[in-house]
Amino acid sequence: MAETTPAPKAALRVVLWIITLVAIAATAAVWFSTQSTAAPPRVALVTADQTAFWESLIDGAEAAASELGVELTVERPNGTMDSQTDTLESLLAQGYDGIAVSPVDAVKQGITLRKVAAGSRLITVDSDSDLSGRICFVGTDNYGAGRQCGQLVKEALPAGGRIAIVMGPIDKENGNRRRQGVIDELLDRSDGPGRPVEPLEEEHAGDMFTVAATLIDNIDPAAAESNVAELLAADPDIDVLVGLYGYSTPAILRALQAAGRTDVKVVGFDDDPETLAGVSDGRVFATIAQDQFNYGYHTVRLLADAAKGQAHIAIPLTEKVWYPPLVVRSDNVETFRAGQN
């Protein structure tokens, strides 16, 4: 009987390589099949209201969704806390992979926001809530932006004077931080981002400036205009009006025009076309422009990363993704406008 001859080692290695390559190919085929059939991340963006401020932010969110293959839903509640809360609860029940929101009331909505953070992935945008359990906040340093507004008031009125602040709800985190920044700057205080909100009913006086009033309109442009008109009649010595929301400055300009007041200086916030026109023709001393497009773009990008388990790669330890605002004056307003097109 003939003896069997062992297979040469080289032939055995070839067989093993073939088996390995077949296994790798099979694994790759399964992986690519899974990737191609997996549903895209479903994320939602919930605005605070229906004002024009959100248009550019939504544009950025839609651009990111298109680029990254994300299914995006945009919800625009009517500006009330109840409307926004109902929207959040509905989205949570629908099983979205991530939800971004600009909370109307950071404190009163705390429980709802934590439910969203626990049942999905939550990002706050434009206005923050430290109580929410969110992955991160995307926006600007609103306290610092408020101090920038205060610095612009000092430039506009170097001899000092009486100031009034025009804003939406005091319960919205971004507005109350901006207001506090304005007051702290005008009263020459040290930085205090966590400083408690100053009482609304009191004047706040420093050596050169007095914040005589804060006019609350609850995101109602008509109410903002009416509030300014009433203030001008009751306190004709107001020297500067500071608008802290996108619609605030246009409302201020309409009230000033109706009252025939060309002596009151205006410092604005955001880049509403009426505000930019006011900067261009001198009715607005300057405005603080935010980067809404990038707020929306990177909010959706981060939610998509979070849905894939990769959010930790791009989120800083502070859990705040800040984009610095730009001061728009008469000498750069046309360049700024050109950059928007």
Side-chain angles (χ1 to χ4, degrees), residues 36-113:
S36 63
T37 59
R42 295 173 63 236
V43 306
L45 169 65
V46 182
T47 68
D49 52 67
Q50 299 173 358
T51 59
F53 167 84
W54 299 100
E55 300 298 337
S56 180
L57 195 148
I58 291 169
D59 287 346
E62 290 176 342
S66 175
E67 180 180 320
L68 301 173
V70 172
E71 183 181 322
L72 173 67
T73 297
V74 177
E75 297 285 355
R76 302 183 72 166
N78 63 16
T80 66
M81 182 185 72
D82 289 343
S83 173
Q84 189 184 65
T85 297
D86 290 345
T87 299
L88 289 171
E89 290 179 347
S90 174
L91 292 169
L92 182 60
Q94 294 174 56
Y96 276 79
D97 297 306
I99 298 173
V101 63
S102 179
V104 171
D105 190 318
V107 176
K108 291 179 182 177
Q109 290 178 290
I111 293 175
T112 298
L113 294 170

Side-chain angles (χ1 to χ4, degrees), residues 176-248:
N176 68 47
R177 288 296 90 202
R178 290 172 196 170
R179 173 178 178 264
Q180 194 60 49
V182 172
I183 294 172
D184 287 353
E185 180 64 30
L186 293 178
L187 272 56
D188 294 318
R189 294 172 175 168
S190 61
D191 268 3
R195 189 171 282 129
V197 175
E198 301 288 343
L200 288 176
E201 300 78 13
E202 302 174 8
E203 289 193 354
H204 306 285
D207 293 337
M208 295 181 63
F209 294 93
T210 296
V211 179
T214 299
L215 309 180
I216 302 297
D217 55 61
N218 293 313
I219 316 182
D220 182 343
E225 184 177 345
S226 176
N227 287 346
V228 173
E230 291 176 8
L231 175 71
L232 293 173
D235 190 350
D237 293 329
I238 290 294
D239 298 296
V240 179
L241 289 164
V242 179
L244 292 186
Y245 281 74
Y247 64 88
S248 302

